[in-house]
Amino acid sequence: MRARASSLLPWALGLWAVGVQVHELPATVGAWATALLALAVRWPPHAPRPWALLLGFVGLAAVAPLVGGHPPTGTGLARLSDWLLVPAAAVAVASASPRALSRVGVAAGVTLLVSVTAAALQHFGAWPGPEVAAPLGHLNLGFDRVYEPVPGRSDRFMAGGLLFHRLKFANVTAAACTAGAAAAAWRVPRWRFLAVATGVGL
């Protein structure tokens, strides 16, 4: 069971890394699959000091708004709970072989390059009209967001990459750039592609 979970863990991590750059559904499936497989690999779980600090941070962030009289929203709590997946990602990275990690890095890097290319096309208006996305309306992609004009310009539009959401695109790109910088610093074999991709993304 543990060996099977260990072999599946890089696939779940890869789905998570690609999903956060594409759509919430594959990102959520990948994240929670990573968490469940990480538990199977490291059961019973141990709680070293950094994880205790993480739990303390999440607890403080959940309680702090109450002091100011602003109860946290459901969306805010959902985003805050994402921090609880950090240990699962740590287990996945620590358990995977360098070859598996490099494949995850290449998948994330290719997705990032495609997303940045899509953002460039959106920014310069070389993108299909909103009517093209009509059949995909059930996905709630926010296709219309990439046709919001840049302030002061009529020929350029806001860019959202594959997420069609400019703020999320910026956050995810920043996270991918951080991962690429860390991979380059650690000199993980075959992660040079991810370092180059994150440089383009940045």
Side-chain angles (χ1 to χ4, degrees), residues 3 25 34 56 62 66 70 75 81 85 88-89 93 103 105-106 121 131 143 161 177 184:
L25 179 61
T34 300
L66 296 175
H70 302 287
T75 302
S81 67
L85 295 169
V93 171
R103 289 174 180 166
V106 168
L121 294 174
E131 65 279 356
F143 199 78
C177 288

Side-chain angles (χ1 to χ4, degrees), residues 111-197:
T111 306
L112 177 61
L113 285 178
V114 171
S115 193
V116 169
T117 301
L121 294 174
Q122 292 159 2
H123 182 65
F124 291 105
W127 195 253
E131 65 279 356
V132 175
L136 303 175
H138 63 284
L139 296 177
N140 296 321
L141 288 177
F143 199 78
D144 56 315
R145 290 187 179 128
V146 299
Y147 288 97
E148 296 176 14
V150 171
R153 298 293 296 263
S154 60
D155 58 337
R156 293 189 177 182
F157 303 90
M158 296 292 189
L162 296 178
L163 284 172
F164 300 100
H165 191 301
R166 59 183 178 275
L167 295 179
K168 282 185 180 178
F169 178 64
N171 292 342
V172 169
T173 302
C177 288
T178 302
W186 293 335
R187 298 181 181 177
V188 178
R190 300 206 313 170
W191 275 52
R192 292 185 184 87
F193 178 85
L194 181 57
V196 172

